[in-house]
Amino acid sequence: MLHPGISDLAGGQPSWALVEPLYTAHRPAARAAAASILGPAHDVEDIIQDATVKAAQRIHTLRDSARARSWYLSIVSRQALDRWRQRARQHQRTATSSLDQLADGLEAGRNTLRVLPVEDYPALRLAFEFIDTLPGKQRTAYLLRHYFGMDRDTIAEVLGCGTATVSVHLFRAQAKVDKEFR
């Protein structure tokens, strides 16, 4: 069954009147979907707005109004994944540039690298002790992501699971860390 008015759309022109009820009814689920991918990031609302614009432009592709929720949430999820990939690429470029600068400085004798024992920093020692209490895959995912800078795809290969599962492990680990240290 087509949503009323969908067959009248031509060329994918944005239809705010058709998308607004979809946005209103499913905004909490859209927020949860985007946050599960991006974490508690400040740009979750931007993702939802971008996805809603995209949904308005593509509303003519919705063939079954009973599937409107999943259709809309898939657009939100794709937008969130695109943003996450964009951030990961930016992070990787920044990290690579910083490492290159450090290496150049070490070769030229301008930088010195000093490793301090964890015991010298009680708060850091407590943080590592807490991280050790996380369940196995959550701990591994958290350490690989935050201390080794690996992306979710690489972590998924290491853990032998999908990237969505990695996102769940990271989200749960981060929630526990946040609860403990905030």
Side-chain angles (χ1 to χ4, degrees), residues 86-162:
Q86 179 185 28
R87 272 201 239 146
R89 284 190 299 272
Q90 179 62 37
H91 176 73
Q92 188 173 16
R93 283 192 297 271
T94 302
T96 301
S97 174
S98 296
L99 287 174
D100 289 344
Q101 289 174 359
L102 177 62
D104 292 344
L106 287 171
E107 287 174 9
R110 291 189 309 261
N111 297 335
T112 59
L113 193 60
R114 187 173 143 211
V115 178
L116 299 172
V118 173
E119 295 80 28
D120 288 353
Y121 294 94
L124 185 58
R125 185 174 42 81
L126 288 173
F128 278 112
E129 286 175 3
F130 178 76
I131 290 168
D132 283 342
T133 68
L134 294 173
K137 288 190 177 186
Q138 287 179 20
R139 179 179 58 251
T140 303
Y142 187 86
L143 289 171
L144 292 175
R145 178 74 181 127
H146 295 286
Y147 292 96
F148 296 99
M150 290 185 182
D151 61 29
R152 284 178 168 86
D153 292 329
T154 306
I155 296 169
E157 290 176 20
V158 170
L159 293 178
C161 61

Side-chain angles (χ1 to χ4, degrees), residues 11-33:
Q13 294 299 315
S15 176
W16 303 112
L18 294 175
V19 173
E20 184 178 12
L22 192 60
Y23 167 80
T24 304
H26 304 297
R27 186 174 175 278
R31 189 168 193 359

